[in-house]
């Protein structure tokens, strides 16, 4: 599974969630209109008259309208949750696409010879987030990065997580574009 496939699947998921959110919003609006129409009998402000022959029917109609209003409110809450999830999925898909585009432009993978102590690197931390660190040590399989906590929080990142390297003010995203440091 490549990062391009992950990005494509994330975009598809975001589109599906957006469609679901739109459907739920339309359903909530339809339910609200239906509930409002059910209250039409009470629009004139006539109270429920206990003991009147229409009381049982009016009470039943009011209970049905109240239940329909409750369902409409629940539908709106579900639509809001779906819209928030769709918004988050879209942001996640955009971040994955950006990372996939960066990785796709490389002519080769990063290697230990591409780094030296003091370089600034941008690394993928989780699926969609990136962080920038100063290289503290170049290891055979990983980079030890300066976490800023005096050593106790120095993260290690594999070379496949590196997105870019900055040295002397020059940033490169393709290791082939930079000169190698074979010490």
């Amino acid at each position: 599974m490549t990062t391009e496939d992950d990005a494509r699947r994330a975009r598809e998921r975001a589109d599906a969630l957006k469609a679901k959110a739109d459907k739920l919003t339309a359903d909530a609006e339809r339910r609200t209109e239906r509930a409002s129409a059910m209250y039409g009998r009470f629009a004139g402000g006539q109270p429920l008259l206990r003991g009147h022959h229409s009381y049982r029917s009016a009470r039943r109609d009011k209970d049905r309208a109240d239940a329909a209003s409750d369902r409409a409110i629940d539908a709106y809450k579900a639509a809001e949750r779906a819209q928030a999830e769709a918004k988050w999925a879209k942001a996640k898909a955009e971040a994955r696409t950006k990372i996939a585009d960066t990785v796709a432009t490389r002519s080769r993978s990063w290697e230990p010879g591409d780094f030296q102590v003091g370089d600034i690197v941008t690394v993928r931390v989780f699926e969609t987030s990136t962080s920038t660190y100063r290289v503290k040590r170049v290891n055979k399989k990983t980079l030890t990065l300066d976490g800023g906590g005096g050593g106790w929080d120095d993260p290690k990142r594999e070379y496949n997580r590196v997105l870019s390297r900055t040295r002397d003010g020059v940033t490169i995203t393709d290791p082939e574009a930079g000169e190698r440091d074979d010490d």
Side-chain angles (χ1 to χ4, degrees), residues 114-135:
D114 297 321
F115 301 96
Q116 65 186 20
V117 173
D119 285 347
I120 305 296
V121 293
T122 301
V123 295
R124 180 171 46 90
V125 181
F126 296 107
E127 300 177 343
T128 59
S129 63
T130 61
S131 291
T132 303
Y133 297 98
R134 181 175 306 276
V135 175

Side-chain angles (χ1 to χ4, degrees), residues 7-27:
R8 180 186 47 77
R9 283 193 2 248
R11 284 190 304 270
E12 290 171 356
R13 184 178 191 300
D15 293 341
L17 288 172
K18 175 73 171 122
K20 177 184 175 184
D22 292 343
K23 180 181 173 186
L24 288 173
T25 300
D27 181 52

Side-chain angles (χ1 to χ4, degrees), residues 34-107:
R34 182 171 182 265
S36 295
M38 292 176 83
Y39 281 115
R41 176 176 181 175
F42 309 104
Q46 175 69 34
L48 299 180
L49 303 172
R50 289 191 182 272
H52 193 266
H53 67 88
S54 65
Y55 177 76
R56 286 187 2 211
S57 172
R59 167 87 340 220
R60 225 179 7 256
D61 289 347
K62 185 176 180 324
D63 290 344
R64 285 182 187 139
D66 290 345
S69 291
D70 290 344
R71 286 191 300 271
I73 290 168
D74 291 343
Y76 265 115
K77 288 179 182 177
E80 287 176 353
R81 284 191 302 271
Q83 287 170 349
E85 189 175 350
K87 183 178 178 181
W88 180 84
K90 183 180 179 196
K92 184 176 178 180
E94 288 171 357
R96 279 188 169 190
T97 300
K98 183 178 177 183
I99 290 171
D101 290 345
T102 300
V103 171
T105 60
R106 291 188 197 151
S107 54

